[in-house]
Amino acid sequence: MADPALPLGSDEVRLLFSPFAQARAVLLAVSGGPDSTALMHFAAAAARADPALPPLAVATVDHGLRPDSRAEAEAVARDARTLGLPHRLLSWEGPKPATRLQERARDARYGLLVGCARDTGATHIVTAHTLDDQAETVLFRLMRGSGPAGLAGMAACGARHGVVHLRPFLGVPKSRLVAACRANGWPFVADPANADPRFARARLRALMPALAAEGLDAPRLATLARRMGEAEAALASAAGRAIAEARVGPGLYSAPRLLGEPTAVRVRAFGRLIDDGSPSRLERLERLVEAVSAAADRGVPLRRTLAGVLVAFDGAARLSLAPAPPRRTPANLGS
């Protein structure tokens, strides 16, 4: 790995940006921080050097959470236009939640970015997540009890509601992007929320130097993410094969075939059937698989609901999955 104090170079960037060639148009998500500022300037330079690159545009989301946020977003707009890039300023409107603020702000941000991509004809959204962000994500998910899918961290290339999401800097230390901004005189802002101890990610960020001193640094956590990604791919393949072989009809499966798999594959298969890979529900999914397995061992029927899906075992060999009926509430008990 290159010296983390060394500015990221244009030759490296050219290789990192190679997936851009698959896009019809690219939307860069730029907040004004050092990572996304470097992304915008490097992308603009790449477009000048290679006219064959797809059209680029910039979008900045103003979450409205700080007094300075609008001015910072407008500064990004001016910077983008100086670079010859069209800019969209997107606002998160309405009252802000009192709990899970960062999580909901992230959801709102991506919703706005996907909408902007569709409006502008962009097929790809690009964010400037770094190696440090990947490490924090893995730690955060480890803290929340995630399985292999969660511990695989963020993907360098994924999808959001039909729009491709690229993270070209996912293997690059943040320090190299900060160094690039300083070496080139690209102004950037620092979001105080990144150091606000009210937020779990900020508290984890503060722990990183101590963890690194013990050997658990960002590259080591990224290696863990890669290995977990490989393990998850193997589990997904095994689960897909088990589901295909167990299917006996629409929503009907052979319980012995599914339950004959190792526990990790069973959990992955049930998660796919229920269409619920949420790390927050992994423990509930594991409990469901344990209950179905115990019912099969005893030869007794079982009905359980998870994530809006009714899972029913007939006590013999059949497992069925169907949408759960509406819950009975005081409002409809007498109807």
Side-chain angles (χ1 to χ4, degrees):
M1 180 177 289
D3 184 344
L6 188 68
L8 190 66
S10 57
D11 288 343
E12 294 172 282
V13 170
R14 191 175 302 113
L15 181 61
L16 294 173
F17 285 179
S18 58
F20 286 19
Q22 307 301 317
R24 184 171 65 243
V26 172
L27 182 67
L28 308 172
V30 181
S31 67
D35 310 339
S36 61
T37 294
L39 171 67
M40 179 171 65
H41 282 268
F42 278 130
R48 290 193 298 270
D50 183 3
L53 278 181
L56 304 176
V58 177
T60 303
V61 177
D62 175 15
H63 297 90
L65 300 176
R66 295 184 290 107
D68 297 334
S69 63
R70 194 70 178 184
E72 292 169 359
E74 290 170 349
V76 173
R78 290 191 295 272
D79 199 8
R81 292 178 186 124
T82 299
L83 294 169
L85 301 176
H87 182 274
R88 289 281 190 100
L89 203 164
L90 312 173
S91 298
W92 184 22
E93 305 287 356
K96 304 304 184 285
T99 59
R100 297 166 58 196
L101 180 61
Q102 287 198 319
E103 178 183 343
R104 292 174 180 177
R106 183 187 66 246
D107 291 343
R109 177 167 63 252
Y110 282 123
L112 289 166
L113 289 170
V114 167
C116 183
R118 289 174 175 162
D119 289 345
T120 59
T123 54
H124 292 55
I125 293 171
V126 183
T127 57
H129 290 100
T130 67
L131 182 70
D132 302 68
D133 296 316
Q134 180 74 302
E136 290 166 12
T137 295
V138 173
L139 271 180
F140 185 80
R141 293 180 180 176
L142 182 64
M143 180 180 69
R144 294 295 176 90
S146 294
L151 295 179
M154 296 180 284
C157 180
R160 289 186 180 276
H161 305 291
V163 178
V164 178
H165 182 184
L166 297 177
R167 297 181 176 97
F169 294 157
L170 202 56
V172 178
K174 179 185 183 76
S175 56
R176 298 197 66 197
L177 298 178
V178 173
C181 287
R182 289 175 174 160
N184 291 284
W186 301 333
F188 61 85
V189 297
D191 185 349
N194 289 335
D196 190 332
R198 292 179 301 165
F199 302 122
R201 278 187 177 270
R203 296 193 296 273
L204 287 176
R205 195 170 292 123
L207 290 173
M208 289 297 290
L211 293 175
E214 298 296 331
L216 191 60
D217 56 10
R220 187 67 58 84
L221 286 164
T223 297
L224 172 63
R226 175 182 58 77
R227 289 172 176 162
M228 288 296 98
E230 292 168 354
E232 170 59 20
L235 286 173
S237 176
R241 184 169 56 252
I243 289 170
E245 293 175 359
R247 184 176 288 112
V248 294
L252 293 174
Y253 299 88
S254 163
R257 176 63 187 87
L258 283 179
L259 299 178
E261 293 289 338
T263 300
V265 178
R266 296 184 203 179
V267 172
R268 189 66 177 79
F270 273 74
R272 178 179 291 189
L273 289 172
I274 295 171
D275 192 23
D276 182 41
S278 168
S280 64
R281 289 200 178 106
L282 179 58
E283 291 183 0
R284 292 175 59 192
L285 188 59
E286 289 171 336
R287 289 197 296 269
L288 170 66
V289 172
E290 288 173 3
V292 174
S293 299
D297 289 341
R298 293 161 51 205
V300 297
L302 179 80
R303 289 166 64 89
R304 291 287 176 87
T305 299
L306 179 62
V309 176
L310 175 63
V311 178
F313 172 59
D314 68 358
R318 288 295 175 92
L319 190 71
S320 66
L321 291 93
R327 290 187 176 183
R328 302 181 71 191
T329 65
N332 64 25
L333 282 176
S335 60

